[in-house]
């Protein structure tokens, strides 16, 4: 219920301010209601553990491949697993890139996940590129490139 109120509020604000809505630029968090329900179910951290939540998100993505909120959450869950176990980094990056390539403004913080996994894999150029994209996204490009 709260999600619906937020979505309507964002849509109303976007229309009154003359900004294109998520649906118009094909970057809505959800398209299919079944995917949204699975996403909401996967948010219950008390009832479901990480692998169960990730399975729900994968199911939602199977229903709606453009469920950007599902991809974002799957990337974050995969990254948490990667930090704890060293496994799951490539899956987290795949979900992060899916969002970044299709809707770069939807969740720019996902650049950090790409950079951290690349750094752990010693892929320095990829890590640097991703971290710079992250800093540009969160600062509006106003940060200096070097400390000298």
């Amino acid at each position: 219920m709260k999600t619906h109120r937020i979505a309507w509020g964002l849509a109303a604000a976007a229309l009154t301010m003359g900004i294109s809505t998520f649906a118009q630029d094909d970057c809505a968090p959800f398209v299919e209601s079944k995917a949204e329900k699975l996403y909401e179910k996967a948010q219950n951290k008390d009832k479901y553990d990480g692998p169960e939540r990730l399975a729900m998100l994968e199911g939602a993505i199977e229903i709606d491949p453009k469920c950007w909120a599902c991809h974002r959450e799957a990337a974050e869950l995969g990254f948490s697993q990667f930090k704890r176990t060293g496994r799951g980094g490539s899956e987290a990056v795949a979900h992060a890139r899916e969002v970044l390539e299709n809707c770069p403004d939807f969740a720019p913080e996902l650049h950090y996940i790409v950079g951290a996994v690349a750094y752990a894999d010693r892929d320095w150029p990829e890590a640097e590129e991703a971290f710079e994209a992250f800093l540009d996204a969160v600062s509006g490009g106003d940060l200096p490139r070097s400390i000298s």
Side-chain angles (χ1 to χ4, degrees):
M1 187 72 156
K2 186 176 180 181
T3 304
H4 295 292
R5 278 190 236 140
I6 293 170
W8 281 110
L10 287 173
L15 288 173
T16 58
M17 294 179 350
I19 300 171
S20 66
T21 62
F22 285 124
Q24 289 174 331
D25 66 4
D26 202 31
C27 288
F30 313 100
V31 176
E32 298 288 333
S33 63
K34 287 182 182 179
E36 183 176 1
K37 288 185 188 327
L38 278 172
Y39 171 83
E40 289 174 1
K41 189 175 178 182
Q43 298 304 302
N44 190 338
K45 297 174 184 177
D46 296 329
K47 189 172 182 180
Y48 304 106
D49 63 13
E52 290 173 313
R53 293 172 56 220
L54 191 54
M56 288 179 218
L57 293 167
E58 293 289 349
I61 291 167
E62 201 170 298
I63 294 167
D64 178 7
K66 292 184 176 184
C67 181
W68 307 125
C70 299
H71 281 288
R72 181 193 62 222
E73 188 70 19
E76 291 174 359
L77 279 172
F79 184 58
S80 291
Q81 177 188 5
F82 177 74
K83 290 189 297 185
R84 285 189 317 276
T85 67
R87 292 182 306 222
S90 61
E91 292 86 0
V93 168
H95 286 293
R97 284 200 172 131
E98 187 69 26
V99 175
L100 293 170
E101 289 171 5
N102 290 287
C103 295
D105 295 331
F106 181 78
E109 69 276 6
L110 294 177
H111 287 290
Y112 180 84
I113 291 174
V114 174
V117 173
Y119 185 85
D121 289 342
R122 297 178 181 264
D123 183 349
W124 312 128
E126 174 71 19
E128 181 180 20
E129 182 181 325
F131 285 140
E132 285 182 357
F134 170 72
L135 290 173
D136 285 344
V138 298
S139 71
D142 294 334
L143 293 177
R145 284 288 170 229
S146 63
I147 302 171
S148 33

